[in-house]
Amino acid sequence: MNAKNAKRIGLTSIPGLALMPNIALAANMGDIASDLAGQGQQIGDLIMIICAVAGIGVALMGLFKFKAHSANPNDPSNKMSSALTLIFVGAAMVAIPELLGSGVSTIFGDGAEVQDYGRLPTGN
């Protein structure tokens, strides 16, 4: 990048930064921490949804593998063990959010703050 292009980029970005002054201004460290905590909550909800959807998908793959084994038991790619493994892995992925909540209570006691992942997030 030559100096002329760098100057052009710098001059065009200054008005954009002037229109968004709140991006770099935080009142204090507490505000930054609360913003990060809110983002952590959203990340936890995203992980919960991904685990549920992926777990259902993996369990369905296991059921289809079981059906393929039933249709052709001599096919080495359709083993019963792989079907059962996929079903159990899918069930474990669906159960991960609930296990995480009870695991935190077990390790840190009943006074620990635990997120209820037994329901889908409402978007609030």
Side-chain angles (χ1 to χ4, degrees):
M1 179 180 345
N2 58 22
K4 187 176 181 180
N5 285 341
K7 185 176 180 182
R8 186 180 304 151
I9 291 172
L11 289 176
T12 57
S13 63
I14 290 173
L17 292 175
L19 294 174
M20 300 180 285
N22 292 334
I23 290 176
L25 300 176
N28 56 24
M29 292 300 284
D31 291 342
I32 294 172
S34 65
D35 288 344
L36 287 175
Q39 291 174 5
Q41 173 66 35
Q42 293 170 352
I43 290 171
D45 290 343
L46 177 67
I47 290 172
M48 179 200 64
I49 291 170
I50 289 172
C51 281
V53 171
I56 291 170
V58 169
L60 285 174
M61 284 179 11
L63 290 176
F64 287 128
K65 184 72 85 167
F66 179 72
K67 184 181 179 302
H69 174 75
S70 297
N72 188 6
N74 295 327
D75 186 5
S77 66
N78 296 325
K79 294 187 285 188
M80 179 67 81
S81 62
S82 63
L84 291 175
T85 302
L86 285 172
I87 291 172
F88 285 129
V89 167
M93 288 180 75
V94 171
I96 281 175
E98 186 62 35
L99 293 175
L100 289 177
S102 64
V104 168
S105 296
T106 301
I107 294 172
F108 297 110
D110 291 334
E113 212 174 291
V114 178
Q115 177 64 30
D116 182 19
Y117 289 120
R119 57 168 176 71
L120 290 176
T122 59
N124 294 338

